Amino acid sequence: MSTLLITGGCGFIGSNFIRHLLHSDPSVSVINFDSLTYAGNLANLTDVSSHPLYTFVKGDITNREQVRAAMGRGVTDVIHFAAESHVDRSIQDSGPFVRTNVIGTQILLDAAREFGVKKYVQVSTDEVYGSLGADGFFTEETPLHPNSPYSASKAGADLLVQAYQHTFDLPAVITRCSNNYGPYQFPEKLIPLFVTNLLRDEPVPVYGDGQQVRDWIHVLDHCTGVEAAWRQGKPGEVYNFGGRCEKTNLDLTHLLLDLLGKPQTLIRYVKDRPGHDRRYAIDCTKAERELGWSPAWTFDRGIRDTIHWYQENEAWVTGIKNKDYLSYYESQYGHFS
Ligand code: NAD
Ligand code: TYD
């Protein structure tokens, strides 16, 4: 029986991961450790909140005592999703990114050592590799060259994980995934922002010329990758995950307009993001070869399913867009432990 400490389980990917695991493996119990920032939402896990193998602990990874108390609940493995995750916010203020992504990771690594975990999985991003030109792909050997405060803080965390693995023999693996999309994604990222705006006939802001390229992967494919890295990944190794699905932002915008039956007049070209990375594309052959993983969702199926989810879950979107869900949950539940 494994007891997983999953940090950031109330966010987009963490909540999909917890649901996936609870539905697929009755021998795993989950402690979801999350501080409920603006991006953390208990409503992402309402359907599993009373599952017998699920516990929620409200806690901050930058708080050593809170982390140690959670680890003391019999944790055998750590899967670390918690992060400040939005590039635009990191450009406005990098402070929370350094605190949570770098210092929070260091505190978690210390606790993982102290409590002798069997496996530690650092959920990282392809953005640590920087930006590609028109050709080539990121492999696990690509040198780190982060360009935004977000990716720099994630790269800093990755380097700490590698140092703890090397110096202290911590059984740690790192996963680096491309851009995720799917249900429960906070509507500040491109796909949920554009879908939810278009559903309300509101305009969508395309940064710069819209020719930046991202490699899109369905969140459940990322989840099966993280699970495979946890179960089979070799300590000290890095595994890249991607969807083999490159699209320019403008092509993606046109696709969303088409699927939703909305006019091109809703496109607004706005000032480019400072330091905007031009292209990301992942070579995921190592994960396919060594973990037996491969992406199962086609983009066509995944994006239709995602649009449908946002259509069906308007109350979730409205709660977030009205920014009232945090105070609502605090008033309902007080504090959690
Ligand atoms: P998210 O912003 O949706 O969720 C982050 C979660 O972490 C939230 O629940 C938040 O409350 C929690 N959190 C933040 N600071 C915390 C702290 N100090 N202590 C405890 N909890 C805290 O993020 P996401 O999109 O689900 O991303 C999860 C992870 O995956 C991140 O590490 C991110 O870097 C990585 N990643 C994301 C993508 C993507 O496309 N979204 C791609 C590759 C990798
Ligand atoms: P985003 O979802 O923020 O992910 P990331 O920056 O981590 O790749 O953005 C995806 C792409 O979409 C990126 O090139 C920036 C662009 N973008 C826009 O053009 N308009 C927007 O409103 C947003 C949020 C992103």
Side-chain angles (χ1 to χ4, degrees):
M1 183 94 188
S2 301
T3 300
L4 267 57
L5 184 78
I6 298 185
T7 68
C10 291
F12 164 47
I13 305 171
S15 62
N16 277 284
F17 184 79
I18 288 174
R19 181 175 298 100
H20 161 73
L21 214 57
L22 289 174
H23 286 163
S24 59
D25 188 346
S27 73
V28 171
S29 64
V30 165
I31 299 172
N32 173 11
F33 185 86
D34 195 301
S35 64
L36 297 179
T37 67
Y38 79 94
N41 187 349
L42 284 169
N44 294 0
L45 287 168
T46 310
D47 54 328
V48 296
S49 60
S50 54
H51 194 291
L53 297 175
Y54 173 76
T55 308
F56 175 67
V57 174
K58 186 177 181 201
D60 190 322
I61 55 166
T62 66
N63 183 318
R64 201 172 283 276
E65 286 321 307
Q66 289 178 0
V67 170
R68 291 185 71 250
M71 292 290 291
R73 293 169 170 243
V75 169
T76 57
D77 301 78
V78 173
I79 307 204
H80 179 29
F81 289 98
E84 289 292 337
S85 68
H86 192 43
V87 173
D88 294 326
R89 286 178 188 259
S90 81
I91 294 168
Q92 272 169 9
D93 180 7
S94 61
F97 287 75
V98 174
R99 275 193 292 283
T100 286
N101 299 0
V102 182
I103 296 170
T105 298
Q106 180 230 342
I107 286 171
L108 204 58
L109 287 166
D110 281 342
R113 267 189 79 202
E114 180 185 345
F115 287 83
V117 299
K118 287 192 296 191
K119 189 70 84 58
Y120 173 103
V121 181
Q122 177 75 9
V123 180
S124 186
T125 164
D126 62 351
E127 302 194 25
V128 298
Y129 296 124
S131 183
L132 291 164
D135 302 316
F137 298 90
F138 296 133
T139 73
E140 289 80 359
E141 309 304 321
T142 303
L144 302 193
H145 194 297
N147 289 318
S148 71
Y150 162 66
S151 54
S153 66
K154 292 294 290 186
D158 285 13
L159 293 176
L160 279 171
V161 173
Q162 287 175 326
Y164 273 60
Q165 195 280 324
H166 181 81
T167 308
F168 305 115
D169 235 0
L170 186 79
V173 300
I174 296 175
T175 64
R176 297 189 179 132
C177 190
S178 62
N179 286 64
N180 287 216
Y181 69 97
Y184 300 100
Q185 188 168 27
F186 195 87
E188 65 183 351
K189 307 277 166 59
L190 186 137
I191 287 183
L193 178 71
F194 282 23
V195 169
T196 55
N197 280 10
L198 292 174
L199 285 171
R200 296 165 179 218
D201 294 310
E202 288 169 8
V204 291
V206 171
Y207 297 165
D209 62 7
Q211 292 308 312
Q212 303 80 11
V213 173
R214 296 294 183 264
D215 173 357
W216 294 97
I217 183 171
H218 192 273
V219 62
L220 292 177
D221 281 333
H222 186 189
C223 290
T224 57
V226 170
E227 182 185 7
W230 164 55
R231 293 189 195 275
Q232 288 135 252
K234 253 180 62 197
E237 294 294 320
V238 175
Y239 300 96
N240 285 351
F241 301 118
R244 290 211 175 86
C245 178
E246 290 184 54
K247 291 192 186 304
T248 66
N249 293 338
L250 200 55
D251 284 347
L252 176 57
T253 305
H254 284 295
L255 181 71
L256 296 175
L257 287 167
D258 283 352
L259 288 170
L260 286 158
K262 303 293 177 183
Q264 304 212 1
T265 48
L266 286 174
I267 297 180
R268 297 283 183 281
Y269 290 94
V270 301
K271 203 157 72 66
D272 207 354
R273 171 188 282 172
H276 199 167
D277 283 340
R278 200 69 181 165
R279 176 171 167 257
Y280 303 145
I282 279 272
D283 176 344
C284 54
T285 49
K286 177 178 175 184
E288 291 179 329
R289 196 178 55 243
E290 297 185 14
L291 301 177
W293 168 91
S294 60
W297 287 71
T298 62
F299 189 75
D300 183 58
R301 176 175 155 233
I303 197 67
R304 286 171 194 274
D305 185 85
T306 301
I307 289 173
H308 182 68
W309 188 88
Y310 282 96
Q311 281 168 326
E312 293 292 299
N313 288 276
E314 223 208 302
W316 182 91
V317 176
T318 308
I320 284 175
K321 289 214 171 189
N322 293 341
K323 296 188 172 57
D324 64 6
Y325 71 99
L326 275 181
S327 52
Y328 168 74
Y329 277 101
E330 289 288 346
S331 71
Q332 292 290 302
Y333 300 104
H335 65 92
F336 312 84
S337 71

